[in-house]
């Protein structure tokens, strides 16, 4: 019994952080897309595709989607500078997750204050979308730096590709190692799907208050990230 409990604890320790963060990423991206006329808060390059589509179709909001890219890059630059200059590296991830939670809360407040959104090119859409994008840009930077050993928790194209690769490897050679890899990639992709569905359903019920429910896991992980043992087990 003890060995089973240890195995279960090990599984949860290993997957807790990426799963929770991926659910949040899927939910926030979906809520932003639904309410802000197809604006992506996480998949920033998707905004360029939609900008091109909007240009051909004569749709409003082109400037907001184009502006999302320099805003994303600026956020990454500022975040990276903070990471490099921090004197307490063991607390960096905790601080980054706290910053993400703050910007997600601001995203929620802006949405509640400015809704209903009626003009795709309005400054209110730009402000609200920018706050959500900033939150997830901070996360993306953390994923490429302080937790680069952990699979991305926002951008799912790579994880979906990895799922296909791991499935192929497992079908060809059904070892426990390949099964573990397949379970990891499956968990991340399913977590994003769950987050997207939850975000949509909760938005219908709670409007922008739904964002607050997804701030809580980020705050929870921010507290846990202050612990050295937790930092050694995430990924």
């Amino acid at each position: 019994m003890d060995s089973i409990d240890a195995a279960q604890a090990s599984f949860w320790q290993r997957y807790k952080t990426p799963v929770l963060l991926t659910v949040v990423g899927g939910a926030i991206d979906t809520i932003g897309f639904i309410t802000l006329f197809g604006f992506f808060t996480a998949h920033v390059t998707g905004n360029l595709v939609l900008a091109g589509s909007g240009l051909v179709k004569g749709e409003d909001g082109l400037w907001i989607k184009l502006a999302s890219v320099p805003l994303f890059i600026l956020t990454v630059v500022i975040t990276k500078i903070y990471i490099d200059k921090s004197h307490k590296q063991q607390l960096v991830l905790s601080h980054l997750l706290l910053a993400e939670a703050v910007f997600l809360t601001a995203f929620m407040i802006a949405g509640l204050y400015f809704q209903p959104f009626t003009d795709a090119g309005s400054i209110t859409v730009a402000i609200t979308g920018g706050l959500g994008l900033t939150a997830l840009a901070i996360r993306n930077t953390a994923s490429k730096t302080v937790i680069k050993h952990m699979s991305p928790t926002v951008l799912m194209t790579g994880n979906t590709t990895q799922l296909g690769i791991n499935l192929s490897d497992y079908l060809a050679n059904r070892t426990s190692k390949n099964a573990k890899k397949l379970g990891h990639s499956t968990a991340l992709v399913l977590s994003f799907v769950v987050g997207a569905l939850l975000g949509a359903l909760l938005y219908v019920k709670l409007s922008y208050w739904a964002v607050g429910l997804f701030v809580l896991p980020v705050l929870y992980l921010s507290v846990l990230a202050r612990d050295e043992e937790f930092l050694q087990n995430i990924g």
Side-chain angles (χ1 to χ4, degrees):
M1 181 65 70
D2 290 340
S3 61
I4 294 176
D5 291 341
Q8 290 175 340
S10 177
F11 178 89
W12 179 237
Q13 287 177 348
R14 186 171 183 84
Y15 289 94
K16 172 171 57 181
T17 301
V19 165
L20 289 177
L21 290 177
T22 302
V23 167
V24 173
I28 300 303
D29 211 23
T30 300
I31 291 173
F33 189 85
I34 292 172
T35 60
L36 302 176
F37 304 95
F39 181 86
F40 284 111
T41 53
H43 294 77
V44 66
T45 51
N47 289 325
L48 296 179
V49 175
L50 292 173
S53 173
L55 180 64
V56 172
K57 297 178 180 179
E59 297 174 347
D60 294 330
L62 175 64
W63 74 273
I64 295 176
K65 292 179 173 64
L66 291 176
S68 69
V69 176
L71 174 60
F72 188 93
I73 294 172
L74 177 62
T75 303
V76 170
V77 169
I78 293 173
T79 304
K80 184 61 167 61
I81 290 173
Y82 167 75
I83 293 169
D84 291 341
K85 293 187 175 298
S86 176
H87 297 296
K88 295 183 177 180
Q89 288 295 315
Q90 72 274 17
L91 295 178
V92 165
L93 180 58
S94 177
H95 292 165
L96 294 181
L97 291 172
L98 179 60
E100 178 185 344
V102 168
F103 276 100
L104 287 178
T105 301
F107 174 64
M108 178 185 72
I109 293 171
L112 289 168
Y113 183 78
F114 292 129
Q115 68 179 348
F117 298 100
T118 57
D119 181 3
S122 68
I123 190 65
T124 58
V125 170
I127 292 172
T128 306
L131 290 168
L133 183 143
T134 299
L136 296 183
I138 293 171
R139 164 95 67 82
N140 271 298
T141 310
S143 295
K144 291 290 186 178
T145 54
V146 294
I147 48 175
K148 59 185 177 183
H149 59 283
M150 191 172 76
S151 299
T153 56
V154 178
L155 304 177
M156 285 298 110
T157 303
N159 288 334
T160 306
T161 303
Q162 191 62 50
L163 172 58
I165 293 171
N166 291 341
L167 178 58
S168 175
D169 289 343
Y170 178 73
L171 291 175
N173 187 12
R174 299 186 181 184
T175 63
S176 59
K177 181 179 179 180
N178 285 339
K180 187 176 181 179
K181 290 180 178 180
L182 178 59
H184 179 79
S185 55
T186 300
L188 288 177
V189 173
L190 289 180
S191 296
F192 194 85
V193 173
V194 169
L197 293 175
L198 272 178
L201 292 174
L202 289 173
Y203 175 77
V204 170
K205 297 292 184 180
L206 303 174
S207 182
Y208 259 87
W209 288 110
V211 174
L213 298 177
F214 298 101
V215 173
L216 297 177
V218 181
L219 285 174
Y220 167 65
L221 293 173
S222 175
V223 174
L224 290 184
R226 301 179 70 86
D227 181 73
E228 185 175 346
E229 183 179 354
F230 170 81
L231 292 175
Q232 293 175 349
N233 287 317
I234 64 173

